[in-house]
């Protein structure tokens, strides 16, 4: 565990106590009163497994995927039946893995959710470029999907090779995108790969925006310890220069930075399952965040099915937050959207942001990480770089450790971070 993340955690939570995740769970989830509730569905199957990818997934087998979807629908009813009537949910996102491998079941899943939830801001789904076919997109539209996100990673053949991704006929993808319209067409890229230049990224972003995308996500490459990737991460100085160059380029072009890693071409395009005050996750490895707790489902497809078959929640670990821990969790993910609103913090916690974190906010302003206007703290370019930098530590200290364990053990006894 890095000293930096431990010291920051102690300082911000005002406590020596670590974040403790235990092998326990509530079979009833208290989401009835949760506002701004997001929904997430995880489909853990891929045609081929990319060596750099940390997500919970396994090689696709049709029958196994079909059985998994049946269990997923049971989990939706297990949770949905806990609430009388229909609960408003602002968004629904499908991620993976490769959700389109279950293309003929997406509508079934949406219908199951519609029995318990009213989804108000559309449905998003991640696609591998190979999934972008007229048939698939027509099926997604019919199921109510309004936003798609395509995992391009890079348009540069050399960098795709570095990543260990097969070749893709991008002209074919662009042609399909010209034929079917979605409210958001986002494209994912990875930056800070060895040898990657600003020119590479600039050309990737331009190619995306002139070929059907109205939103791009530019993720920093993270070298997870448990993946098979042998890619050497870029040095801090080079990475910062590259990040600043891309940010300046996108801002000069008038693109809207709607989160730390994303830019959109117009205000209506957005794709983010992350910045929700509360969310319910269904499927293997999916997480749920509520006022007082955060829970993670088992990463094992077999154990997931066994739990659901027995009418039980597939939760592997639960953390019950102290108030300060919850505040830090809230601030960390809200900052991802580049701004923190004091009034929203107060409405969520019933306490003033400045009375809890006045010193930190003052320091953040002094250091040039944020600016303040009428109680809203807006992250600056410098602040965004340091968030990126800290996020890398956080991911390697917390997520890497947790996912590393959860990939090996379906129900670890306890994880302390
Ligand atoms: C679940 S995948 C997207 C959908 C689809 N499976 C695909 O690969 O095209 C989510 C995204 O996470 C990003 N990602 C995966 N591994 C990463 C890593 N090690 N570092 C940074 N970003 C990563 C990629 O940009 C990827 O598109
Ligand atoms: S990057 Fe996408 S296709 Fe590759 S293994 Fe990860 S989820 Fe599967």
């Amino acid at each position: 565990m890095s000293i930096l993340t431990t010291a920051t955690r102690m300082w911000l939570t005002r406590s020596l106590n670590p974040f403790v995740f235990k092998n326990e769970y509530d079979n009833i989830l208290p989401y009835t009163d949760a506002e701004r509730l997001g929904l997430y569905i995880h489909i853990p199957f891929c045609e081929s497994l990319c060596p750099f990818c940390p997500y919970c997934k396994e090689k696709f087998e049709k029958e196994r995927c079909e059985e998994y979807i049946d269990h997923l629908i049971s989990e939706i009813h297990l949770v949905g039946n806990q609430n009388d009537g229909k609960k408003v949910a602002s968004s629904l996102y499908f991620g993976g893995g490769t959700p389109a491998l279950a293309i003929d079941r997406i509508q079934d899943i949406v219908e199951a959710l519609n029995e318990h939830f009213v989804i108000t801001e559309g449905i998003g789904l991640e696609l591998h470029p190979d999934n972008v076919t007229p048939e698939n997109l027509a099926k997604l539209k019919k199921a109510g999907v309004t936003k798609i996100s395509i995992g391009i990673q890079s348009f540069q053949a050399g960098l795709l090779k570095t990543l260990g991704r097969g070749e893709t006929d991008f002209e074919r993808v662009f042609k399909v995108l010209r034929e079917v319209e979605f409210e958001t067409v986002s494209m994912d890229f990875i930056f800070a790969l060895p040898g990657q230049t600003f020119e590479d990224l600039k050309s990737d972003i331009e190619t995306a925006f002139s070929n059907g995308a109205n939103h791009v996500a530019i993720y920093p490459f993270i070298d997870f310890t448990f993946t098979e990737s042998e890619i050497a991460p870029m040095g801090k100085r080079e990475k910062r220069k590259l990040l600043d160059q891309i940010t300046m380029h996108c801002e000069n072009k008038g693109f809207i930075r709607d989160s730390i890693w994303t830019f959109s071409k117009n205000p209506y395009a957005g794709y983010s399952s992350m910045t929700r005050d509360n969310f319910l996750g269904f499927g293997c490895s999916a997480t749920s965040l509520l006022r007082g707790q955060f829970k993670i489902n088992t990463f094992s497809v077999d154990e997931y099915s066994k739990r659901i078959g027995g009418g039980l929640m597939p939760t592997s670990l639960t953390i019950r937050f102290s108030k300060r821990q919850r505040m830090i969790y809230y601030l960390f993910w809200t900052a991802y959207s580049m701004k923190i609103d004091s009034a929203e913090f107060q409405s969520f916690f019933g306490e003033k942001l400045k009375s809890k974190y006045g010193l930190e906010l003052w320091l953040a302003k002094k250091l040039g990480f944020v600016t303040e206007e009428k109680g809203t703290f807006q992250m600056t370019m410098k602040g965004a770089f340091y968030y990126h930098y800290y996020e890398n530590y956080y991911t390697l200290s917390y997520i890497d450790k947790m996912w590393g364990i959860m990939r090996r053990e379906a129900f670890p006894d306890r994880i302390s971070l």
Side-chain angles (χ1 to χ4, degrees):
M1 179 75 56
S2 125
I3 295 173
L4 177 67
T5 45
T6 306
T8 316
R9 188 208 69 227
M10 286 182 189
W11 174 27
L12 296 177
T13 60
R14 313 286 197 266
S15 161
L16 296 178
N17 296 336
F19 290 110
V20 180
F21 294 78
K22 293 185 187 159
N23 180 358
E24 59 174 39
Y25 62 99
D26 300 333
N27 222 28
I28 304 285
L29 281 177
Y31 69 87
T32 305
D33 299 329
E35 284 177 20
R36 257 174 62 78
L37 182 72
L39 303 174
Y40 174 76
I41 299 284
H42 191 80
I43 303 197
F45 301 101
C46 296
E47 284 284 13
S48 65
L49 305 180
C50 308
F52 60 89
C53 173
Y55 296 107
C56 170
K57 80 278 164 184
E58 58 178 55
K59 189 107 176 40
F60 174 70
E61 277 174 35
K62 184 140 181 52
E63 209 172 304
R64 198 165 157 77
C65 179
E66 285 292 329
E67 278 170 25
Y68 175 81
I69 304 292
D70 292 341
H71 288 121
L72 188 69
I73 290 175
S74 301
E75 189 192 4
I76 292 169
H77 293 310
L78 191 64
V79 175
N81 284 332
Q82 294 176 9
N83 182 53
D84 292 333
K86 290 191 183 191
K87 171 81 192 153
V88 171
S90 50
S91 59
L92 163 62
Y93 282 90
F94 284 84
T98 311
L101 293 174
I103 192 80
D104 291 319
R105 305 295 304 277
I106 301 295
Q107 188 156 355
D108 297 346
I109 298 169
V110 173
E111 280 169 11
L113 286 164
N114 283 341
E115 287 182 37
H116 309 284
F117 301 95
V118 179
I119 300 156
T120 55
E121 292 171 25
I123 303 176
L125 187 138
E126 282 174 3
L127 292 167
H128 185 283
D130 292 348
N131 307 142
V132 183
T133 63
E135 300 74 29
N136 280 353
L137 296 196
K139 285 178 185 171
L140 293 179
K141 283 212 92 140
K142 188 161 173 265
V145 171
T146 51
K147 310 167 212 232
I148 54 171
S149 153
I150 309 166
I152 302 289
Q153 319 314 346
S154 174
F155 287 122
Q156 322 296 325
L159 292 172
L160 284 177
K161 200 162 169 222
T162 305
L163 283 167
R165 292 267 280 207
E167 282 187 16
T168 302
D169 178 356
F170 289 118
E171 288 306 325
R172 183 197 63 76
V173 172
F174 301 155
K175 184 171 176 287
V176 177
L177 290 178
R178 280 195 289 275
E179 287 158 16
V180 191
E181 249 184 57
F182 285 87
E183 178 189 295
T184 299
V185 176
S186 186
M187 293 190 186
D188 283 355
F189 296 94
I190 298 188
F191 91 96
L193 294 168
Q196 190 177 31
T197 63
F198 170 53
E199 291 305 319
D200 291 333
L201 278 163
K202 199 167 89 169
S203 133
D204 281 351
I205 295 167
E206 268 163 24
T207 307
F209 280 143
S210 41
N211 287 284
N214 55 11
H215 189 267
V216 292
I218 308 161
Y219 298 119
F221 170 66
I222 300 197
D223 186 21
F224 288 86
T225 54
F226 53 81
T227 58
E228 282 159 22
S229 148
E230 286 176 4
I231 302 169
M234 189 177 265
K236 184 185 163 193
R237 227 190 249 171
E238 203 183 340
K239 187 169 164 183
R240 174 165 190 170
K241 191 170 161 214
L242 198 51
L243 180 60
D244 285 352
Q245 282 174 317
I246 320 163
T247 311
M248 294 282 276
H249 170 73
C250 289
E251 286 183 356
N252 288 342
K253 287 265 176 186
F255 305 144
I256 303 158
R257 189 176 200 177
D258 55 359
S259 79
I260 291 281
W261 294 321
T262 60
F263 291 90
S264 62
K265 221 167 133 181
N266 62 54
Y268 316 106
Y271 195 98
S272 170
S273 53
M274 284 152 129
T275 47
R276 296 288 174 283
D277 294 344
N278 302 282
F279 50 81
L280 293 175
F282 302 92
C284 279
S285 80
T287 55
S288 298
L289 172 71
L290 295 169
R291 177 167 291 275
Q293 61 168 288
F294 177 75
K295 73 165 200 104
I296 308 169
N297 283 353
T298 180
F299 276 42
S300 156
V301 173
D302 292 326
E303 295 302 325
Y304 174 81
S305 301
K306 274 192 212 158
R307 277 270 186 97
I308 299 288
L312 295 171
M313 299 284 277
T315 312
S316 176
L317 291 169
T318 303
I319 176 172
R320 302 196 190 278
F321 289 118
S322 69
K323 197 160 191 184
R324 281 275 185 185
Q325 285 179 335
R326 184 66 177 93
M327 284 178 179
I328 285 309
Y329 206 89
Y330 175 99
L331 291 173
F332 185 75
W333 287 111
T334 309
Y336 176 81
S337 70
M338 301 285 293
K339 63 172 186 281
I340 294 171
D341 185 323
S342 303
E344 283 175 10
F345 180 94
Q346 193 169 342
S347 124
F348 193 78
F349 290 105
E351 306 215 36
K352 283 198 163 75
L353 176 60
K354 275 198 182 162
S355 73
K356 290 288 158 188
Y357 290 103
L359 173 66
E360 289 77 5
L361 290 165
W362 174 83
L363 199 60
K365 273 202 287 186
K366 282 274 163 234
L367 291 169
F369 292 168
V370 293
T371 55
E372 183 186 0
E373 206 186 327
K374 294 185 188 149
T376 297
F377 294 88
Q378 181 72 43
M379 202 180 284
T380 61
M381 204 160 105
K382 184 176 177 191
F385 173 75
Y386 279 95
Y387 183 97
H388 252 287
Y389 191 53
Y390 189 81
E391 216 272 337
N392 196 39
Y393 272 105
Y394 162 84
T395 305
L396 288 176
S397 309
Y398 289 64
I399 297 184
D400 184 274
K401 180 178 172 189
M402 175 168 270
W403 288 7
I405 297 172
M406 302 218 28
R407 284 156 59 99
R408 296 191 303 271
E409 290 175 60
F411 300 106
D413 191 40
R414 173 191 167 98
I415 299 182
S416 176
L417 299 173

